Amino acid sequence: MKDIIIIGGGPAALTAALYAGRAGLDALMLEKQYEGGQIVTTNEVENYPGFRSITGPELANTMYEHAKDFGSIMKYEEVIDIKIDGDIKKVVTGVNTYESKVIILSMGAKPKKIGIDREEELTGKGVSYCATCDGGFFRKKIVAVIGGGDTAVEDALHLSRIAEKVYVIVRRDSLRANKSAQKKLFETDNIEIIWNSGVTKLNGEERLSGIEIKNNKDGKIDNLEVNGVFVAIGSDPSSELVKDLVALDKNGYIIADESCKTNVDGIFAIGDIRTKEVRQVLTAAADGAVSIYGAEKYLINH
Ligand code: NAP
């Protein structure tokens, strides 16, 4: 019987594991893919205190090693079910069933789809959701980024160093990204912003060869020849596994306040998967620490 099972392996989970280990609790992390979560797909992180500039994979690896220093263990297993039996929580993976007193849900979020025809068919054939992973395939090519948030702007800046030309397609007449990133975007010569527009069609036979864009103000349709399109329009919570276990809001985020407590005693939600205003590595890490404080109190009383 474990004290705590942490499901997920991103910054929130890794911080919870570090704090759990340091508090002398027996914690197990279960991660289906790789440690680090979404930061692994981030080229540069420049707003995590203590690191002026660090790549996402380096930060993830540092956090992972730090958690391991305090004795926390990670297993690469996908959780397929969670069962509650009184105070005991059973976590079922493809290969094992584990028992625990506390569960910390930290499954994060996954990129949103645009929701247009042929998006799935052309994924990996010109359509991508990860500029850091796939940018290298577009050396000296023409690409488009869809979105106007921090992810889209960072992706565009990253791609501008690889591709010949980068279009950024923004559905409004302003960006949501932070001002410092916006400034860099506006100052980059091979980036062109197409305002008030959305992608309405993906062109090409075997591979993407272009996109149709529609101006949201005058309805004008244009076709752009591009070799790749990077979708960066936000993310959806990976909460499918727990939709019948804990309360979710209408967008699928697990309802939990700053204490990270869900509506089920002994189950906490941390990082991007929980309802919150600001989703950053820093706020995810903070949740990880807070949840262990709550978990310790729960364990004392049970
Ligand atoms: P986001 O902040 O939600 O921005 C999504 C962007 O995509 C917005 O410009 C939005 O437009 C646009 N959009 C949404 N749905 C769309 C659709 N169907 N078609 C076209 N455009 C659409 O998402 P994000 O950029 O992935 O960032 C998520 C969170 O992570 C944010 O809190 C962000 O600050 C954080 N983040 C931080 C960093 C950093 O600090 N270094 C880096 C990456 C992400 P509207 O503005 O019109 O809604």
Side-chain angles (χ1 to χ4, degrees):
M1 166 84 70
K2 296 278 169 197
D3 290 323
I4 300 176
I5 289 181
I6 302 161
I7 305 175
L14 293 170
T15 309
L18 185 161
Y19 272 72
R22 206 162 168 263
L25 299 169
D26 182 13
L28 169 68
M29 277 180 283
L30 294 171
E31 161 59 47
K32 68 174 174 182
Q33 269 182 307
Y34 45 77
E35 64 274 6
Q38 289 191 97
I39 49 161
V40 172
T41 64
T42 303
N43 190 46
E44 187 190 10
V45 178
E46 56 173 27
N47 56 349
Y48 194 79
F51 297 91
R52 285 205 171 92
S53 170
I54 185 166
T55 68
E58 264 181 291
L59 182 57
N61 194 255
T62 307
M63 286 184 169
Y64 178 52
E65 293 300 328
H66 198 173
K68 278 206 305 190
D69 286 349
F70 287 101
S72 289
I73 294 169
M74 179 181 279
K75 288 192 180 178
Y76 296 92
E77 293 176 30
E78 180 167 6
V79 176
I80 52 176
D81 198 10
I82 300 172
K83 293 177 180 138
I84 307 292
D85 182 4
D87 278 347
I88 301 170
K89 283 104 187 157
K90 293 187 180 170
V91 178
V92 184
T93 72
V95 283
N96 281 307
T97 296
Y98 300 96
E99 289 187 351
S100 173
K101 296 169 198 159
V102 167
I103 291 181
I104 298 182
L105 303 169
S106 183
M107 293 88 81
K110 51 189 174 311
K112 263 188 194 155
K113 311 250 177 205
I114 343 170
I116 57 172
D117 269 3
R118 306 190 60 218
E119 187 174 358
E120 200 148 327
E121 177 197 334
L122 291 172
T123 296
K125 296 173 184 161
V127 175
S128 169
Y129 301 85
C130 177
T132 320
C133 324
D134 299 332
F137 296 122
F138 297 90
R139 196 159 295 281
K140 303 277 174 234
K141 302 250 164 100
I142 301 172
V143 297
V145 176
I146 309 174
D150 283 319
T151 305
V153 171
E154 286 185 5
D155 284 358
L157 290 168
H158 172 65
L159 291 164
S160 72
R161 296 188 280 271
I162 301 169
E164 187 182 311
K165 167 102 188 175
V166 181
Y167 293 103
V168 182
I169 299 162
V170 183
R171 68 177 173 183
R172 292 188 289 122
D173 59 1
S174 65
L175 299 167
R176 190 185 281 266
N178 73 80
K179 293 284 184 253
S180 143
Q182 287 195 30
K183 186 167 178 287
K184 286 187 198 162
L185 187 84
F186 298 144
E187 286 170 354
T188 305
D189 287 341
N190 63 340
I191 295 180
E192 181 180 334
I193 305 174
I194 302 179
W195 299 104
N196 299 305
S197 297
V199 174
T200 39
K201 208 169 147 203
L202 301 169
N203 301 324
E205 295 298 322
E206 294 293 300
R207 284 192 61 83
L208 182 87
S209 61
I211 48 177
E212 180 188 271
I213 51 173
K214 184 178 177 186
N215 186 297
N216 300 328
K217 289 226 154 140
D218 58 19
K220 195 167 159 271
I221 303 251
D222 267 320
N223 276 288
L224 276 185
E225 279 184 22
V226 297
N227 308 102
V229 61
F230 289 85
V231 182
I233 59 171
S235 45
D236 285 324
S238 302
S239 56
E240 186 63 21
L241 172 73
V242 294
K243 67 181 191 320
D244 299 321
L245 182 70
V246 292
L248 307 182
D249 75 359
K250 65 177 183 352
N251 297 316
Y253 290 95
I254 300 172
I255 297 172
D257 63 13
E258 295 305 309
S259 72
C260 300
K261 286 182 191 162
T262 69
N263 63 320
V264 179
D265 225 14
I267 302 188
F268 298 80
I270 60 174
D272 284 4
I273 201 166
R274 85 163 173 91
T275 47
K276 55 160 70 179
E277 284 284 317
V278 183
R279 293 194 171 85
Q280 303 261 318
V281 184
L282 184 72
T283 61
D287 281 1
V290 170
S291 67
I292 295 303
Y293 178 75
E296 276 188 288
K297 279 211 222 160
Y298 173 86
L299 289 168
I300 289 166
N301 295 324
H302 291 77

